[in-house]
Every structure is written in C-alpha cells, then in structure tokens.
Amino acid sequence: MTRPVTEPVDGGESAAIDSDVAIVGGGLAGSLAAAVLARAGHRVALVDKRAVYPDEFRVEKIGGHQLELLRKLGFLDALGDVACRYDQVLNIREGKVVDVSVGQAYGFPYADLVAMARRQIPDPASLIVDEVTAIGPSDDVQHVELASGRRVRARLVVLATGMAGVLGYKLGIRRRVLAERHSVSFGFTIARKDGTPFDFEALTCYGERTADGIDYLSLFPVRAGMRANLFMFRDPTDPIMRELRREPEATVLRLLPGLRSYLGDFRVTDRVQNWVMDLTVVEGHLQPGIVLIGDAFQTNCPAAGTGVARLLVDVDRLCTEYVPQWLMTAGMGLDKISQFYADRDKIAADQQSLKMARFRQALTSRNDIGWDVRRRLHFLRRSLAHRVDQMHPGWLGRVRGALRA
C-alpha cells in the first residue's frame, strides 16, 4: 500500500513500492491518467510533491470536443461539481457583434479541476506526496527514486511533468524550441463596481489592431465571478505587460475600446496572473519503459485552445488502448513505447495544435495585404453566417450537420 505523505524510511527492501504504472507529476494530465488506469484495476503510483495542487494560471475553461473526450473518459459528471456551466458566448470585435457561439462549456480554477481528477482515483493512497529524484529505465522494470528515500518499482513510468525538464534532462531528453516566447496570457477576475451582473453569459472580444498583438479577451463565469483570459502575441518585455498588471482596467479598455459598453464600470477583484509560453517539442524521448504525455511531450499556444484536447487524446490513447495491452505481456521495450508515439490520433492532435498556434499568431499579428484580406474575410464569413442564422434559426446547424454526414 502506498503512503500519502512523505516520511523518512530505511533503505531496505521494505522501502520499495510496487505498481504497474508510476506517474510522475500530479497536474491535470497525470491525475487524469492515474484515475483512468486505477479505475480499470491497474496498480498506480501517482507521485507529486504537493498534496493539494496550488492555484496556478493554467487551463480555466473547457468546451466543444474536449467535453466529448471527458465524457468518454468518464469525468464529465464530476466536472459539473467544480465548474460553472455556460451555453452561449457573445463574440464581438470593434464593439460590434460578430456572432454568437452556442454550446455547452465550463469555467473553473485549474486547481479545482486537478482536485476533481484526483478524487476519481479509487484509492487515495495511490497519491505519493514526494519528489522524484531519478528514474532508472529498462526493457523490463523501471526504478523510481524518491527524495524521502523510498523507491517505486513499476512496469511503466509516465512523465506528466509539464514543462519542468529536470528529470527529462537526466534521461537525455531535450526540449527543442520551435518559437521562443510565442505568446503571453493574462488571467484575472472582474466584477461591476455596483455589484450588478453583466448583461452576457460569456463574451469574447477580438483584437482590433494588429499592432496591439491581441488575439482575444475571453470572459466566462467561474464560481468566484467573471473570469478574464487575455491572449496576446507580443514581446513579454514590452511595457504594456507591466501596465496590464498595474492598471488592468484602464489598459484593457485602451487596448479594446469596443468593450466599454459591454463591461460598464468594472474592477479587477484579484491578482493579475500572466504566463509566457514557448512552443516546444521534445527529442530523445523514445526510451524503454517511459512515456511522455501532455506538455511534457509538446507545449501549445493557449490562445489556440488545443492544449486540453491534446492532453485528453494522450490520456485516452495511452491509458485505454496501449497500457492495458502492454501490461498483458512481459517487457516494456521500445517496440511497445513507439506504438503510442506513432498513434494516428495522437499525431493528428499534436500537429493540429502546432498548426492552430501558427494560424492564431498570423491572424492576429500579420499586417501584410494577404493576411489583412484573410482576417477581414474570416470575420465577415462569421458575421454573415450569424445574420442568416438569425433570419432562419437552425439553418447553420443543419448545414454543418449535412457537411459532417
């Protein structure tokens, strides 16, 4: 039985913890993977140095195809217990309505989402609060060394360590930068000063000028109020970043003046958080007994909204398809590990994520004639489709359904 707290132990054989799969990193990817595998009856050791995941600015909303993946993995009902559901998003640009997105979505703090995933693990003792110091991979059994002196023996090790690269570096895994400081994201919560609710359920405001480098500001409900996520393609050292942290209300309205009539007199109610993202992929990762998932394998652009989908595809394919097969036979060599990295759905999700990252940056920031025309046509098509759908309700949905058939 694994122990849920770190405590000194002797160096004898009794310090070893046996499991089928050891998962290193207890964020969203690792916690979801642990829950899926444990519910299927596999012995899982989830190792993270934090018993309660801290409040970090990461994923804060889920919708669309991501919900289908969560439903498939059996987490959708639990999501409703920690998140605020919304079904309509008003999309605007330059103060005018572009269209209205209709569909189920949820807003939440990232830490609450991780806690939800951890609660789905049948045995709470599967969580080992400790720090991994070394991993000894092999074609058979993997040896995981912990800071407390304990050891974990597992058939397979899953690295779900996000962008933390210390363990990977020790294993010879390197991170190749595709686009340094690709995007900057800000997160904060807002409320009207008079305490009245906003006149929209959720709202997305797109950038108005390419020079500002603003892709969009997304406003959506969480339990603490109306959450704001601002996505930009701009140098993180630009003075505007400091202004957004010091005077967020005035700076947001200066950058997106079309928002003023929708927000009224508002204030930011909590600390402004920000995140600078590099686009990276790993190399040297094909090793016996070890698999990388989520951001540990490839990072993504937050503005593209593909990160959770990629993560869920990784968890789904690895934990429902490959791990059960691999554990049925001896060994954990490269012939098995390579199957996951060659999976068609995984490759498609990874490639789509990079494609959308580059597209969002170009659509937001490129000011040559070709991209200017493309940007105008992008929003014009959406606006025209919205107007037609207003005159003939349901028309757009029927057309899209016919195209998918």
Side-chain angles (χ1 to χ4, degrees), residues 105-383:
Y106 292 87
F108 44 78
Y110 179 72
D112 288 359
L113 190 63
V114 174
M116 176 276 292
R118 290 184 178 186
R119 285 195 294 271
Q120 304 309 303
I121 302 173
D123 182 3
S126 298
L127 173 63
I128 302 173
V129 183
D130 212 325
E131 187 171 3
V132 176
T133 57
I135 300 172
S138 74
D139 288 332
D140 187 19
V141 176
Q142 323 316 316
H143 297 272
V144 180
E145 304 291 334
L146 306 182
S148 65
R150 286 181 288 177
R151 299 187 302 277
V152 178
R153 286 191 303 245
R155 295 281 311 281
L156 176 71
V157 171
V158 178
L159 283 185
T161 50
M163 287 158 282
V166 176
L167 283 174
Y169 189 84
K170 290 180 179 180
L171 292 165
I173 300 170
R174 300 292 183 266
R175 195 171 284 275
R176 179 163 60 92
V177 178
L178 303 176
E180 189 175 13
R181 301 189 298 184
H182 172 77
S183 62
V184 184
S185 308
F186 286 84
F188 48 91
T189 308
I190 66 172
R192 279 186 168 158
K193 290 184 177 179
D194 62 6
T196 61
F198 292 100
D199 297 329
F200 50 82
E201 190 175 9
L203 181 145
T204 299
C205 180
Y206 293 95
E208 300 181 10
R209 298 171 294 271
T210 56
D212 293 332
I214 295 178
D215 192 346
Y216 60 92
L217 173 73
S218 177
L219 298 169
F220 52 93
V222 296
R223 292 186 174 179
M226 186 66 72
R227 189 65 175 168
N229 286 178
L230 176 63
F231 302 104
M232 306 177 70
F233 298 101
R234 197 154 170 170
D235 187 340
T237 64
D238 191 294
I240 197 70
M241 305 302 168
R242 184 171 60 252
E243 294 172 26
L244 278 165
R245 289 190 294 270
R246 291 181 177 178
E247 300 179 331
E249 299 92 344
T251 307
V252 164
L253 292 179
R254 189 171 76 251
L255 293 170
L256 297 167
L259 263 177
R260 189 178 299 274
S261 61
Y262 294 89
L263 297 186
D265 196 9
F266 76 100
R267 63 186 178 91
V268 173
T269 62
D270 59 1
R271 179 172 62 92
V272 177
Q273 301 168 288
N274 73 287
W275 185 269
V276 180
M277 179 63 75
D278 298 334
L279 289 184
T280 65
V281 295
V282 293
E283 297 175 335
H285 54 282
L286 184 55
Q287 300 189 22
I290 296 178
V291 166
L292 281 68
I293 62 172
D295 284 346
F297 178 78
Q298 174 185 305
T299 59
N300 55 275
C301 173
T306 54
V308 175
R310 273 191 55 249
L311 180 157
L312 291 172
V313 168
D314 278 359
V315 171
D316 177 37
R317 301 304 296 157
L318 178 67
C319 299
T320 67
E321 179 70 20
Y322 295 107
V323 171
Q325 292 181 20
W326 295 346
L327 293 177
M328 291 176 65
T329 57
M332 199 60 67
L334 296 181
D335 56 330
K336 289 183 176 179
I337 303 301
S338 61
Q339 294 173 2
F340 171 67
Y341 294 124
D343 181 83
R344 182 173 58 184
D345 291 343
K346 173 180 171 49
I347 291 174
D350 292 340
Q351 291 178 342
Q352 177 67 9
S353 180
L354 291 176
K355 178 182 177 181
M356 286 302 300
R358 296 180 177 116
F359 172 77
R360 294 306 318 179
Q361 183 182 40
L363 189 69
T364 298
S365 306
R366 290 278 296 272
N367 57 9
D368 56 88
I369 293 177
W371 274 100
D372 183 58
V373 171
R374 190 169 182 176
R375 187 162 40 248
R376 292 175 185 273
L377 289 175
H378 173 81
F379 288 106
L380 179 61
R381 282 195 299 267
R382 291 178 55 175
S383 180

Side-chain angles (χ1 to χ4, degrees), residues 1 3 9-19 43 141-145 149-154:
M1 177 76 68
R3 279 165 287 194
V9 295
D10 60 43
E13 189 64 18
S14 61
I17 300 163
D18 287 317
S19 65
R43 296 178 303 163
V141 176
Q142 323 316 316
H143 297 272
V144 180
E145 304 291 334
R150 286 181 288 177
R151 299 187 302 277
V152 178
R153 286 191 303 245

